Amino acid sequence: MLLALLALILAMGGVMLLQKSFVPKFGLDLAGGTTVTLSPVTQSGATPSQESLDLAVNIIRERVNGSGISDAEVAKAGDNIVISVPGAGQEEVVKLVGTTAELRFRQVLAVAPANATPGALPTAPATPAPSGSGAPQPSTTAKPSSTAKPAPSGTPAGRALSSALTNPTPAPSASATGQGDKKDDKKGSGKDEGKATPTPSGSAAPSAPPTEDPFAGVDLTGVDPVVAEQFKKLDCTKKDRGQGIQDEPDKQLAACSDDGVAKYVLDKAAVKGTEVAGANSGVDSTTGEWIVQVNFKSAGASQFAKITGQITSAPQPRNQLAMVLDGVVISAPVIEEPIPGGQARISGSFTQKTADDLANQLKYGALPLKFVQSSIEEVSSTLGADQLRGGLLAGGIGLILVVLYSLLYYRGLGLVAVASLAVATILTYQAVVLLGHNANFRLSLPHIIGLIVSIGITADSFIVYFERMRDEMKEGRRSLRVAVEVAWVRARRTILIADAVMFIAAVVLYFLAVGGVAGFAFAMGLTTLIDIAVVFLFTKPFVALLARLSFFAKGHKLSGLDAERMGRDAPVARTTVSQEG
Amino acid sequence: MSRIGVIGRRLYRGEVDIDFVGRYKLWSAVSGLLLVISIVGLVFQGLNLGVEFKGGSVFSFDKPRASTIETVRSTVEEAGAHQVSVQEAGNRWRVTTQSLAASQVTTVQNAISKEFGIAGNQVSKQIIGPTWGGEVLKKAVIGLIVFMIAIILYLTMAFEWKMALAAVVALFHDLVITAGIYAWSGFEVTPATMLGFLTILGYSLYDAVVVFDMIKEVTAKLGTTSKMTYTQAANNALNHTLIRSLNTSLVAILPVAAILFIGTTLFGAGTLKDLSLALFVGMIVGTYSSLCVATPLLVNLKEREPKYMAIAKRLASNKGGSPQDAPPAGKGKEPAAAATSTGPAASQNGSVSPQKRKKR
């Protein structure tokens, strides 16, 4: 046990050494950071509405805190938005939040279920509707697809798509540029891609045996090998699905659907969001369902007509046109027929809200406003050195008090307590350093206080254990070695149940809260796990080891387990009295 | 020879017998009073929300040579602004304060220009919105609700629903009283305070769980022939874990108290004070509530079960006394205890232990 713990500490130390990281990363309040001021730009030059600013603040906050464990601050300042990110020189983050995400229309080149990673088991793609435009149910044609889909999950390979088609450039559809009448109700609404799925047109399928590679059947012809590699590695299950990836229009892109169910390889942008003149949601007068109507500017209209014409007759999934926003696919409807005239209609199982959302996204990109960076500044920590010093000093004094109290109360056992705390401290420090280095976990002052408080929780575990041991000893029938074991069995259960409560709290808050709360919950969960590790791997084995020493086994006065302290024998009374006197 | 010394020694040995459960009327009165005061404070006084929730004012000005974070902060604080946070931004100072009225803004601007010799119009000011908007709070509240449900489910599985209920009621009790103290004291509620609340949440439950685990163990053996009512058994379990409760609380509170008293009186640290006060109050209330709120509530729920009613009835008729009374005095097992004890405490203790021992 003790060896296992030693191995753990050494292993973590080794990683620290390898990564050359010995100091934790600190948060905004302790280390300062980068502050970016964004100013909204409206086309008319008018002041943006407060609602849209609030919305923008929320979206940016989610973007910045996407990873969940660094806490950035986002605030409205007059008409501007001020973002403070911990750490100096956060170019990447500044870029991420500073650019208003633009919408792009891109042809889909390949699709795979989100959890299909190389080396996954053949049964891995359990996701129900990975095929075609499966993921964005609301935004595309959901009517037939959801039911008609013949279990695509089992046969990722079968979903092979024509390898004959290389790039979409051939423009297979003759009617591609057929400019129909403008009023034509363009059907962005796709047909049943479920039907399309099982018919792998082309030769790709036979050559792709249903191996363990879920990509076996995915046709990657014409896909940039680099992008193909990204596609394979793409993990859409993360909280941050790549929002904010620089979406370069002239390059192919591997992206997740915004619900994280599917992932796509997408061609170069066919139409840019700037070509969208407007979008609105409404109810179709004939069918009564919610639809989204998109209008293009003139150049966009012809680009859109061209791309829809080109891909209509392409095999599944290359007949889908994905709308990509902020690095994720918000919708990828199948294009049934060329859509000339600069007006497109998207239908599907929309609710009013989802239709509104999509219309807004099409109109504004992810942000309801366009922003320019008006300043970027490095800022110092908000806390003065005096405050930090004060906090650490006070925390240190508190710790010394704890140590003194443990030694006074538990005597010899107090040493075990202090040693356990020391081990917990080492483990925590290592964990914080490693998480800072690998997951960008940043310590802020509240985290530090949280860690200090967790001492109480850690200490409780062995107090529970010690009290149980004393109970056993008080009964006087057991040798210390037996008592140690019996007490452990009973204490263990209590410790596990109580720690489970803390852990549930941490997990729930981590996943449901944002920013600072999530970071704090993370630290709380971490210390709970460390507590269990310390008690199981250190405190208990250490006590068992000590129980063999005669100092403890015989109940030396200073061992904390002596007869007097247990109030077991007659001499006790005498000593007690003399102490009183 | 003082009485306190005696109590201290008995505490040390675990030879205590405080009738926590029997005095539930006292506790309910105390808790009820505290709750009412807290709620009145929350409703009429309200919480003093920090810049992060309400937004605030930002001043910025070129950094004079002779200025440090500390001097800037004290200048602005002396001008009457609260919640002052000072940052260097490039070669300027950026000072965030609570939301100030127009006249106060002028006062602060004047103070800065006077102290650092900067022209008044060189001190720019800006209104800043909350960094913890409604969305963040909403998510935190949803998180809390989900957590409560998860905890009730978990405790129902690990123990039983009555214990889960009692634990969660005690938790609410703690949170309301802590919030009430904030309302009355006017301390600022910042994100750090919120985090303190969350810690209390875990801590309060943790404490209740350890106590309940012992109660469960002790009461598991109560049968039709048992010599103890559920109330007595629970009370014994409480006394049994009392040392642990006190020790744990002390160990957890010591560093917090150090931060609160030493840290803030000597250094006047803002974030530290917010967080440590919430923790300090919450931990004390949490310890109290697991002993005096959660357990009596649980006992009240359990004594309604036919099984325990039957025991209580039988014991009451046997002895003609109240079931609250201590069971027949067992033989004091420990002479030492008997020597120092002043009442029936030791004997009660003696009767508990055999009960416990039967388990194995």
Side-chain angles (χ1 to χ4, degrees):
Chain A
M1 286 295 191
L2 287 170
L3 286 179
L5 182 80
L6 195 66
L8 182 67
I9 291 178
L10 286 179
M12 285 170 74
V15 177
M16 282 164 72
L17 213 62
L18 279 178
Q19 298 187 335
K20 295 196 174 27
S21 47
F22 302 103
V23 186
K25 284 193 178 176
F26 291 106
L28 200 55
D29 55 346
L30 295 176
T34 310
T35 290
V36 188
T37 308
L38 298 180
S39 307
V41 182
T42 51
Q43 271 168 345
S44 57
T47 323
S49 73
Q50 291 303 306
E51 290 78 47
S52 54
L53 273 175
D54 287 340
L55 187 57
V57 167
N58 281 337
I59 292 169
I60 292 176
R61 182 177 291 133
E62 268 172 32
R63 263 195 217 173
V64 182
N65 287 321
S67 64
I69 46 179
S70 79
D71 37 348
E73 284 180 2
V74 182
K76 208 164 64 171
D79 286 340
N80 294 334
I81 292 179
V82 178
I83 305 154
S84 303
V85 196
Q90 294 279 50
E91 300 303 330
E92 218 175 291
V93 186
V94 171
K95 212 170 177 184
L96 185 155
V97 295
T99 37
T100 310
E102 244 177 49
L103 181 76
R104 319 263 190 227
F105 292 86
R106 293 167 177 267
Q107 184 192 3
V108 174
L109 295 181
V111 182
N115 57 355
T117 44
L121 293 170
T123 48
T127 7
S131 82
S133 58
Q137 314 91 345
S139 41
T140 71
T141 156
K143 317 167 251 182
S145 63
S146 52
T147 46
K149 212 153 290 163
S153 53
T155 57
R159 217 165 351 89
L161 308 161
S162 162
S163 63
L165 252 197
T166 44
N167 248 349
T169 17
S173 164
S175 59
T177 47
Q179 300 276 10
D181 55 62
K182 288 211 165 185
K183 282 187 285 166
D184 194 4
D185 226 2
K186 285 31 169 224
K187 287 244 175 146
S189 85
K191 59 184 173 183
D192 176 9
E193 71 271 37
K195 259 186 267 163
T197 347
T199 53
S201 60
S203 51
S207 69
T211 59
E212 274 143 43
D213 181 6
F215 298 99
V218 176
D219 173 28
L220 291 174
T221 347
V223 174
D224 181 345
V226 180
V227 176
E229 202 47 43
Q230 286 169 353
F231 173 64
K232 286 182 181 170
K233 285 187 185 150
L234 199 57
D235 177 7
C236 295
T237 55
K238 283 192 286 190
K239 213 174 174 182
D240 167 22
R241 289 191 196 95
Q243 285 99 325
I245 285 175
Q246 274 309 95
D247 177 3
E248 291 176 43
D250 298 332
K251 288 191 181 155
Q252 293 182 345
L253 179 74
C256 299
S257 67
D258 65 350
D259 55 1
V261 172
K263 56 184 180 179
Y264 298 86
V265 178
L266 305 166
D267 201 5
K268 294 167 186 167
V271 188
K272 291 187 198 168
T274 44
E275 292 300 323
V276 173
N280 46 40
S281 55
V283 179
D284 186 308
S285 53
T286 52
T287 60
E289 53 175 0
W290 281 93
I291 54 160
V292 175
Q293 199 116 28
V294 195
N295 299 308
F296 291 95
K297 296 173 188 169
S298 64
S302 58
Q303 286 167 351
F304 193 69
K306 190 168 154 225
I307 185 71
T308 52
Q310 279 171 8
I311 68 174
T312 309
S313 55
Q316 179 65 234
R318 295 196 174 197
N319 60 352
Q320 286 173 258
L321 189 64
M323 296 168 216
V324 187
L325 184 70
D326 204 13
V328 297
V329 176
I330 54 170
S331 174
V334 172
I335 303 300
E336 270 191 332
E337 53 188 74
I339 305 173
Q343 273 197 327
R345 204 183 80 151
I346 308 167
S347 62
S349 55
F350 284 121
T351 62
Q352 179 173 3
K353 189 182 177 311
T354 54
D356 284 347
D357 283 352
L358 182 62
N360 277 331
Q361 287 180 322
L362 292 174
K363 242 190 301 193
Y364 298 121
L367 293 173
L369 293 164
K370 189 170 163 51
F371 289 93
V372 292
Q373 289 172 14
S374 52
S375 77
I376 301 182
E377 277 173 330
E378 306 272 303
V379 292
S380 72
S381 64
T382 52
L383 282 175
D386 58 336
Q387 299 205 19
L388 186 56
R389 225 175 19 241
L392 289 179
L393 187 67
I397 292 173
L399 276 184
I400 293 173
L401 289 178
V402 169
V403 169
L404 286 180
Y405 180 78
S406 311
L407 289 178
L408 211 67
Y409 190 92
Y410 286 111
R411 308 278 164 116
L413 279 182
L415 284 178
V416 181
V418 172
S420 303
L421 282 179
V423 171
T425 309
I426 294 172
L427 280 177
T428 309
Y429 186 81
Q430 289 182 324
V432 168
V433 169
L434 288 181
L435 282 166
H437 195 263
N438 300 308
N440 206 25
F441 174 71
R442 287 176 176 277
L443 268 182
S444 67
L445 196 55
H447 290 153
I448 294 183
I449 306 283
L451 294 178
I452 292 178
V453 170
S454 70
I455 289 168
I457 309 266
T458 308
D460 184 76
S461 300
F462 40 79
I463 290 177
V464 167
Y465 181 33
F466 291 169
E467 290 298 329
R468 289 285 194 175
M469 267 165 60
R470 282 157 48 105
D471 280 354
E472 295 299 321
M473 292 303 287
K474 249 184 258 175
E475 291 169 12
R477 298 193 202 124
R478 294 174 202 289
S479 77
L480 180 60
R481 284 168 76 167
V482 179
V484 162
E485 294 305 322
V486 174
W488 171 244
V489 173
R490 302 165 71 194
R492 186 174 59 194
R493 196 179 67 118
T494 313
I495 292 170
L496 285 179
I497 293 179
D499 273 338
V501 169
M502 294 299 283
F503 199 67
I504 292 173
V507 170
V508 169
L509 289 172
Y510 178 69
F511 283 106
L512 290 179
V514 287
V517 176
F520 191 73
F522 192 83
M524 192 156 105
L526 183 73
T527 49
T528 309
L529 291 181
I530 289 177
D531 173 34
I532 294 178
V534 169
V535 171
F536 274 75
L537 298 180
F538 182 78
T539 310
K540 198 267 158 174
F542 195 47
V543 168
L545 215 62
L546 288 181
R548 297 184 190 170
L549 297 177
S550 67
F551 175 77
F552 285 94
K554 295 240 171 82
H556 188 277
K557 238 177 166 182
L558 292 176
S559 70
L561 288 168
D562 57 317
E564 171 204 336
R565 304 248 136 212
M566 299 300 126
R568 196 173 60 194
D569 304 317
V572 176
R574 208 185 57 226
T575 344
T576 321
V577 171
S578 70
Q579 270 175 3
E580 272 172 39
Chain B
M1 271 310 182
S2 70
R3 194 170 151 72
I4 293 175
V6 174
I7 292 175
R9 213 163 318 104
R10 285 190 11 228
L11 262 179
Y12 183 86
R13 297 217 196 85
E15 297 153 6
V16 274
D17 178 41
I18 300 170
D19 190 6
F20 287 104
V21 180
R23 289 190 202 135
Y24 75 94
K25 279 184 185 150
L26 173 67
W27 310 131
S28 334
V30 170
S31 293
L33 187 68
L34 286 175
L35 284 175
V36 168
I37 294 174
S38 300
I39 291 169
V40 166
L42 284 171
V43 171
F44 293 102
Q45 196 88 2
L47 291 171
N48 178 14
L49 295 176
V51 176
E52 294 84 355
F53 299 103
K54 286 207 317 201
S57 306
V58 178
F59 299 89
S60 66
F61 51 95
D62 282 333
K63 201 152 81 181
R65 248 173 294 135
S67 60
T68 61
I69 288 192
E70 288 76 31
T71 57
V72 174
R73 184 170 53 226
S74 61
T75 305
V76 177
E77 270 171 359
E78 276 159 25
H82 295 291
Q83 306 182 23
V84 178
S85 126
V86 182
Q87 276 180 302
E88 280 178 81
N91 48 8
R92 285 170 77 80
W93 287 114
R94 187 172 187 272
V95 185
T96 314
T97 71
Q98 104 235 74
S99 195
L100 296 173
S103 62
Q104 281 176 296
V105 168
T106 322
T107 315
V108 171
Q109 276 177 320
N110 288 343
I112 292 172
S113 74
K114 198 172 147 209
E115 176 76 27
F116 299 109
I118 305 167
N121 58 5
Q122 292 294 303
V123 180
S124 71
K125 55 129 196 150
Q126 205 182 13
I127 307 291
I128 193 160
T131 49
W132 272 52
E135 196 67 20
V136 182
L137 274 185
K138 203 174 84 192
K139 288 201 170 167
V141 170
I142 292 175
L144 271 186
I145 294 171
V146 173
F147 168 67
M148 294 282 182
I149 296 170
I151 274 313
I152 292 178
L153 288 178
Y154 175 74
L155 289 183
T156 306
M157 281 191 318
F159 299 132
E160 55 176 312
W161 70 265
K162 285 173 182 171
M163 285 187 172
L165 183 72
V168 171
V169 168
L171 178 64
F172 267 110
H173 168 270
D174 300 346
L175 290 181
V176 170
I177 291 178
T178 312
I181 286 174
Y182 271 86
W184 282 112
S185 66
F187 278 117
E188 287 132 17
V189 176
T190 62
T193 318
M194 300 284 296
L195 299 180
F197 270 52
L198 295 179
T199 313
I200 294 170
L201 200 119
Y203 186 83
S204 165
L205 279 171
Y206 191 104
D207 215 32
V209 164
V210 175
V211 172
F212 282 0
D213 194 47
M214 182 62 96
I215 293 182
K216 189 186 170 197
E217 187 181 316
V218 171
T219 58
K221 292 154 295 196
L222 291 185
T224 40
T225 55
S226 101
K227 292 197 177 69
M228 270 196 288
T229 62
Y230 191 91
T231 308
Q232 289 161 344
N235 206 40
N236 285 336
L238 267 195
N239 280 298
H240 218 83
T241 51
L242 186 63
I243 308 292
R244 183 219 61 92
S245 291
L246 295 180
N247 273 347
T248 305
S249 303
L250 203 62
V251 167
I253 287 175
L254 277 177
V256 174
I259 291 170
L260 180 63
F261 296 115
I262 305 173
T264 63
T265 50
L266 286 187
F267 305 95
T271 313
L272 288 177
K273 188 181 70 187
D274 302 333
L275 190 59
S276 54
L277 182 77
L279 290 172
F280 185 73
V281 174
M283 282 179 173
I284 292 175
V285 181
T287 307
Y288 159 80
S289 77
S290 58
L291 295 174
C292 303
V293 177
T295 310
L297 181 65
L298 171 71
V299 167
N300 271 329
L301 287 171
K302 293 295 280 186
E303 283 287 4
R304 276 159 221 234
E305 286 180 18
K307 180 183 167 197
Y308 298 115
M309 272 168 81
I311 299 176
K313 208 170 156 192
R314 183 173 50 76
L315 286 178
S317 63
N318 276 358
K319 287 180 60 202
S322 119
Q324 232 76 276
D325 282 352
K331 278 228 161 180
K333 244 184 64 68
E334 301 104 330
T340 49
S341 82
T342 48
S347 53
Q348 164 125 5
N349 194 287
S351 73
V352 181
S353 305
Q355 193 78 24
K356 260 168 45 57
R357 243 169 257 138
K358 269 176 212 150
K359 192 188 177 193
R360 272 165 275 109

